[in-house]
Amino acid sequence: VRTILFLPVQTVKVRMQTNPDLGQRGFIPALKYVATSEPSSNLFRGIDVAVMFSATFGFFSFGIKEYLSRELVIQFPGLNELFAVILASIASVVITLLFATPWEVLTTKIMASGDRYWGFGLLKDLVAKNFQKAAQELYEEYWLLTGKELAFVTTKFL
């Protein structure tokens, strides 16, 4: 639900980052411009892959963190529980983004472009052209996303 509610905000943010004219205006003027010059449905471009990213990230990150937290405490009885949770959280981000990064990259590509609405169609086209190039393109942001998420995860324990 959160993904769908905030997708228009993310769409305008991505448009501001990829279009210098919009980026110089500020968020509210950019939102007004996009809302008045394009169909309102454009604010929801890439909803399919955005929901896929959110579901994948939520499912895997929570499940992996919970499993690893429990296993670390069982396997290393003297390990501090908070430290186990921090280690499990870090590992869950690194592992989860292996599954989630392509969906986030597709979402951003769809939001930035003006020619497509659905991300699954773009994925199909990229893979059909050249599988290796598609894989490279879809994972080129892995370390950037991992760094961003790790910064968030570690600061919530401070």
Side-chain angles (χ1 to χ4, degrees):
V1 174
R2 181 185 75 206
T3 298
I4 296 168
L5 289 176
F6 286 102
L7 195 60
V9 173
Q10 186 179 357
T11 300
V12 172
K13 179 191 78 152
V14 167
R15 292 287 198 70
M16 289 174 66
Q17 292 169 335
T18 57
N19 181 341
D21 294 335
L22 278 179
Q24 294 174 357
R25 297 178 184 195
F27 182 78
I28 299 298
L31 175 62
K32 285 180 185 176
Y33 175 80
V34 171
T36 57
S37 66
E38 299 177 16
S40 57
S41 62
N42 280 1
L43 291 171
F44 292 92
R45 282 181 186 271
I47 193 169
D48 55 344
V49 287
V51 168
M52 194 67 181
F53 169 77
S54 182
T56 303
F57 192 82
F59 174 78
F60 280 104
S61 66
F62 178 76
I64 292 169
K65 181 190 75 67
E66 290 300 312
Y67 175 78
L68 289 178
S69 297
R70 188 186 72 229
E71 285 301 311
L72 283 170
V73 170
I74 291 170
Q75 297 299 322
F76 305 98
L79 187 64
N80 179 301
E81 247 183 89
L82 177 61
F83 187 66
V85 170
I86 293 170
L87 285 177
S89 296
I90 291 169
S92 76
V93 165
V94 172
I95 295 166
T96 297
L97 283 173
L98 289 172
F99 300 99
T101 297
W103 304 118
E104 178 69 359
V105 170
L106 283 168
T107 302
T108 304
K109 285 181 177 296
I110 292 294
M111 288 176 177
S113 76
D115 60 340
R116 290 184 178 261
Y117 189 83
W118 300 107
F120 286 124
L122 176 60
L123 176 62
K124 180 182 166 196
D125 292 348
L126 288 172
V127 170
K129 279 185 197 172
N130 184 332
F131 180 79
Q132 282 186 310
K133 185 178 177 192
Q136 181 181 358
E137 204 173 302
L138 293 174
Y139 278 97
E140 66 188 356
E141 301 296 327
Y142 175 78
W143 291 111
L144 179 67
L145 288 170
T146 302
K148 181 185 87 166
E149 291 299 325
L150 284 177
F152 174 73
V153 165
T154 54
T155 56
K156 73 180 181 182
F157 293 106
L158 299 177

